């Protein structure tokens, strides 16, 4: 598990993915070990579609295991997303890399309240 050299890249693929978060951890980005790729996370937006209640958001970074395994560190921990609002959890100013064998997981405090959109680049 190494960090690929991104100076001489072969391809750069933009990805946008969406999730309806539940109270169970959902792997939103995973980079397999030995993929020879690095992912640059540019933005994560979270929208609360509940018109009445706020919902907590949790985003965890797993620096030592893909697919949400292993230990994690919190990027966001029980951050309240107000009813009928959108939270910019990550933007280009706070972009980060997901190297080989790493992953990002998210979950909500209440099921079916939060939608998540993640935009990232696969660099090979």
């Amino acid at each position: 598990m190494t960090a690929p050299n991104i100076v001489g890249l072969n391809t750069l693929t933009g990805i946008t993915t969406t999730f309806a978060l539940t109270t169970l951890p959902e792997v939103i980005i995973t980079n397999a070990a030995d993929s020879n790729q690095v992912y640059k996370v540019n933005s994560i937006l979270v929208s609360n579609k509940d018109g009445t209640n706020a919902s907590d958001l949790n985003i965890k970074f797993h620096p030592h295991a893909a697919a949400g395994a292993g230990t994690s560190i919190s990027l966001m921990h029980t951050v309240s997303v107000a009813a009928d609002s959108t939270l910019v959890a990550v933007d280009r100013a706070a972009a980060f890399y997901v190297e080989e064998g790493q992953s990002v997981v998210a979950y909500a405090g209440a099921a079916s309240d939060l939608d998540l959109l993640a935009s990232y680049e696969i660099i090979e």
Side-chain angles (χ1 to χ4, degrees):
M1 176 171 51
T2 63
N5 180 352
I6 60 175
V7 172
L9 61 100
N10 293 324
T11 60
L12 178 67
T13 306
I15 303 289
T16 299
T17 186
T18 60
F19 297 89
L21 297 180
T22 68
T23 57
L24 300 174
E26 176 84 39
V27 178
I28 60 170
I29 300 169
T30 187
N31 189 355
D34 301 323
S35 69
N36 202 32
Q37 298 172 334
V38 63
Y39 298 177
K40 181 180 180 192
V41 180
N42 294 312
S43 64
I44 298 176
L45 307 175
V46 180
S47 177
N48 185 347
K49 58 191 174 197
D50 186 316
T52 306
N53 301 305
S55 183
D56 288 341
L57 169 66
N58 296 279
I59 301 176
K60 307 231 180 240
F61 179 67
H62 292 256
H64 305 294
T71 59
S72 66
I73 62 163
S74 293
L75 298 178
M76 300 202 118
H77 183 71
T78 61
V79 173
S80 183
V81 181
D84 285 337
S85 68
T86 300
L87 171 74
V88 178
V90 175
D91 65 9
R92 283 197 178 267
F96 64 96
Y97 292 99
V98 178
E99 298 175 25
E100 294 175 321
Q102 296 181 335
S103 56
V104 180
V105 171
Y107 58 96
S112 304
D113 281 358
L114 300 181
D115 287 339
L116 181 144
L117 180 140
S119 174
Y120 61 98
E121 298 165 349
I122 299 175
I123 304 168
E124 187 173 351

